[in-house]
Amino acid sequence: MEQISETFTVDLRRLTVLRELRRRGSLARTAEALHLTPSAVSQQIAALAREAGVPLTERDGRGVRLTGQARVLLAHADLIAAQLERARADLAAYGEGGRGSVTIGCFSSGILGLLPGALSALAVRLPHVRVDVVEAEPPDLFTALDAGQVDVAVAVDFAAAPPHTDRRYRRVDLFTDVLDLAVPAGHRLAGRERVALRDLATDAWIVGDARSCCGAVARSVCAAAGFTPDIRHAVNDWGALAALVEAGQGVALIPRLVQPLYAHRRLALLPTAGATPSRNVFVAVRAGSETDPVLAAVCDQLRTTAGDVVGSGN
């Protein structure tokens, strides 16, 4: 590698590729997330290494791993990205932030149970701001947030979500969403006030995809209860899941956030005995953008609406 120049510069777009490689862990997954080829990702990382004058990756079997110098550079990349967001927020504040557009990325049950109320309130609060919604979950949601395709991320804490200590984001917890057992109306346990998860160890289960937040939560709480669920149906749509439970095709966990939508279904919703299955819902923006007046108003409204959701019995 060349000696590091005192006036060296780096391409911010290439820093974005390096940040995604840290998140995804492989060239192939990074390429898929950024809609590039693995070769293009490799070329971007190689070009950034030449600009910085240090090696950024090293061979690790059939893949690559980040070098110590790459981790040093990434720490600065996070600060640079945050400072650019602050500059953008300051410019928006200068114009009072009364116009523009915001894209909110959100998980499916959040779109069902949280966003309708928030969007209605935002239409009054920010009448000249266009608010778009896209359905997404981690890690893709945060890839989109990093790339500016999404401005506000509403997500659930699970393995694919960034840790609380991730300096790339400013996050605020919104509420804890409890999950109850859903069983067919004629199920042997339907009349109980509470049911231990372990009592359903021999039942057929209806669970979301393992990569989804609720699919991951359902599997983890069953494991904590001491059994592996017999998954007969894997569906991510809550309406389809409730319909399958009603039809006697299995049992499931349904978050209270969406339960009012399925009150007409012939099924029993039962709190669990012992540890209560739940998930933490939070909102995040890119570090530095939290002072943008429009984004601040959107996040504030999401907190207000979340309080209403919790107050209504979630």
Side-chain angles (χ1 to χ4, degrees):
M1 286 288 173
E2 299 177 1
Q3 194 68 22
I4 300 175
S5 168
E6 293 183 358
T7 58
F8 86 98
T9 60
V10 294
D11 189 316
L12 296 179
R13 292 168 297 182
R14 290 169 181 157
L15 278 178
T16 298
V17 176
L18 185 64
R19 294 173 83 197
E20 193 63 32
L21 178 58
R22 172 181 59 185
R23 184 200 302 280
R24 300 288 177 168
S26 77
L27 294 173
R29 287 192 291 269
T30 300
E32 182 180 5
L34 297 177
H35 306 291
L36 299 171
T37 65
S39 176
V41 170
S42 183
Q43 291 171 15
Q44 291 288 318
I45 298 297
L48 181 61
R50 289 194 297 272
E51 289 176 339
V54 295
L56 299 177
T57 60
E58 55 191 12
R59 299 302 302 176
D60 182 20
R62 299 177 64 181
V64 298
R65 62 169 172 254
L66 297 179
T67 64
Q69 295 100 316
R71 289 190 290 272
V72 169
L73 182 58
L74 282 165
H76 289 283
D78 293 341
L79 296 174
I80 291 168
Q83 193 59 48
L84 286 173
E85 288 295 337
R86 292 188 187 99
R88 189 185 69 81
D90 287 346
L91 290 171
Y94 185 84
E96 298 182 353
R99 296 181 182 275
S101 64
V102 175
T103 299
I104 300 174
C106 186
F107 59 106
S108 62
S109 49
I111 293 175
L112 287 168
L114 176 65
L115 289 195
L119 294 176
S120 295
L122 285 170
V124 176
R125 185 170 180 174
L126 301 172
H128 301 297
V129 174
R130 170 174 168 167
V131 182
D132 296 333
V133 174
V134 297
E135 181 180 341
E137 292 187 2
D140 293 338
L141 173 56
F142 285 87
T143 297
L145 184 61
D146 290 341
Q149 298 163 347
V150 163
D151 304 297
V152 177
V154 182
V156 170
D157 272 316
F158 71 113
H164 283 242
T165 55
D166 196 319
R167 296 185 300 175
R168 290 172 294 175
Y169 312 110
R170 293 292 178 268
R171 54 174 285 162
V172 175
D173 291 338
L174 294 178
F175 61 96
T176 298
D177 189 22
V178 173
L179 288 84
D180 292 318
L181 284 163
V183 301
H187 191 274
R188 68 186 187 282
L189 302 177
R192 293 192 183 181
E193 290 186 6
R194 290 183 176 274
V195 174
L197 280 168
R198 181 81 180 183
D199 291 341
L200 295 166
T202 60
D203 283 73
W205 279 75
I206 307 165
V207 175
D209 186 278
R211 295 170 295 179
S212 68
C213 59
C214 271
V217 170
R219 286 168 172 80
S220 66
V221 298
C222 288
F227 70 97
T228 299
D230 176 13
I231 300 172
R232 300 288 180 85
H233 307 285
V235 295
N236 291 325
D237 179 84
W238 290 109
L241 184 145
L244 287 172
V245 173
E246 182 182 34
Q249 297 303 302
V251 300
L253 286 168
I254 296 185
R256 292 183 183 175
L257 184 61
V258 299
Q259 287 179 16
L261 300 175
Y262 308 113
H264 63 286
R265 294 288 186 184
R266 294 186 66 256
L267 48 81
L269 294 168
L270 309 171
T272 59
T276 302
S278 63
R279 55 187 189 163
N280 180 57
V281 180
F282 67 96
V283 59
V285 297
R286 293 179 293 275
S289 71
E290 64 272 13
T291 57
D292 179 298
V294 172
L295 296 187
V298 170
C299 291
D300 180 68
Q301 187 58 57
L302 286 167
R303 287 193 295 269
T304 299
T305 305
D308 295 339
V309 168
V310 173
S312 66
N314 176 63

